[in-house]
Amino acid sequence: EGDEGGLFPRRTPSIKAINKMMMIKNLLLILSRLSSTLSGPQKRSSLDRAALRGLWRFRRQFSTEDFALELNMNAQAKAKHAVLTRFLDEHETLRAARFIPDVVEWLRLVYTRYNRRVDKETAASTTVAQVLESVRYEARWVQAFEGFAAAWNLMWPHVGKFGCLEIPALYKQIQMSRKY
C-alpha cells in the first residue's frame, strides 16, 4: 500500500488527470505572460496573442484510440516510435498486468484453504460468494478476488485469439463475479 516504486504500482495518473495538469500549466504560463505584459510598457508578442486565442479554442478530449490511430497513419512516426506503437497495439492486454499480485494472492488463498480438502463435486458446486462468506468477507480475500475477477474480465475476450481450444458459445460472454 502506497508502494510507488514497485514493479506494478497501484495508481498511475489517468489521462484525464494528465490533461487537467497540462491545462493548468498552460493557464499559468498564459497568466504569467499576460501579467508581465500588462505590468510593463512592452507590447504583447505574437506568441502571447496566439496563446491567448488558443486558451478559448475547443479541444477534443484526448483518447488513446485516437492517438494510436494518428500514430499508425503516419508511417515515419510509426517507424521512429516503434516501442510506443507496439505498446499502443497491446495496451488493452497490458492493463490486466496491474492485477497480477491479486491473482497470485487469490490463487494462494484458495490453494491454502481448499487443497486436498474438498472433492470434485463440492468444488464444482461451490460459488465464490460461498467461499467469501465462509471467511466472513475478510478484506484480503475480497480484494484478492476483486483483482482476480478484474483481470479475468479484461483478458477473457482475448483467450479465443490463440485458437488452441474451441470455446463453447455458452462461455464466450461469461463475466467473472461472485455468483460463480
Side-chain angles (χ1 to χ4, degrees):
E1 298 187 358
D3 180 23
E4 299 300 321
L7 183 58
F8 299 103
R10 289 282 180 188
R11 297 182 187 242
T12 56
S14 67
I15 299 296
K16 195 174 192 177
I18 292 170
N19 284 339
K20 193 177 224 178
M21 289 186 289
M22 292 301 293
M23 184 190 298
I24 291 170
K25 179 182 171 189
N26 288 337
L27 282 172
L28 291 174
L29 179 66
I30 290 168
L31 289 174
S32 70
R33 286 182 181 163
L34 184 60
S35 68
S36 68
T37 302
L38 295 177
S39 65
Q42 315 144 323
K43 292 184 177 180
R44 285 188 198 157
S45 71
S46 60
L47 179 64
D48 289 337
R49 280 185 288 226
L52 283 172
R53 279 194 306 271
L55 176 63
W56 305 112
R57 187 181 72 205
F58 171 78
R59 287 184 181 87
R60 185 175 52 168
Q61 186 165 356
F62 178 85
S63 79
T64 308
E65 291 79 19
D66 290 341
F67 180 71
L69 182 65
E70 290 290 328
L71 182 66
N72 286 327
M73 287 173 52
N74 184 336
Q76 187 178 15
K78 187 176 178 179
K80 183 177 180 183
H81 305 288
V83 174
L84 177 61
T85 303
R86 181 65 191 251
F87 172 79
L88 290 171
D89 289 343
E90 302 292 331
H91 86 280
E92 279 297 317
T93 55
L94 292 172
R95 286 178 46 209
R98 68 177 179 228
F99 297 112
I100 290 173
D102 291 330
V103 170
V104 171
E105 179 66 4
W106 175 251
L107 295 174
R108 188 190 66 75
L109 289 168
V110 170
Y111 182 81
T112 302
R113 183 170 179 95
Y114 293 103
N115 185 38
R116 299 181 185 188
R117 292 187 182 97
V118 293
D119 59 28
K120 190 175 184 177
E121 291 78 27
T122 305
S125 65
T126 304
T127 65
V128 174
Q130 291 169 329
V131 170
L132 293 176
E133 191 175 300
S134 74
V135 294
R136 297 188 193 114
Y137 292 94
E138 192 177 318
R140 67 186 177 137
W141 279 78
V142 172
Q143 179 184 346
F145 174 73
E146 296 300 329
F148 173 81
W152 176 284
N153 293 332
L154 279 170
M155 295 310 298
W156 183 245
H158 302 283
V159 170
K161 289 180 181 177
F162 298 106
C164 300
L165 180 67
E166 182 64 32
I167 299 170
L170 173 68
Y171 297 129
K172 286 188 178 182
Q173 299 301 318
I174 203 164
Q175 290 284 305
M176 181 58 63
S177 70
R178 292 181 184 187
K179 71 179 183 176
Y180 293 108

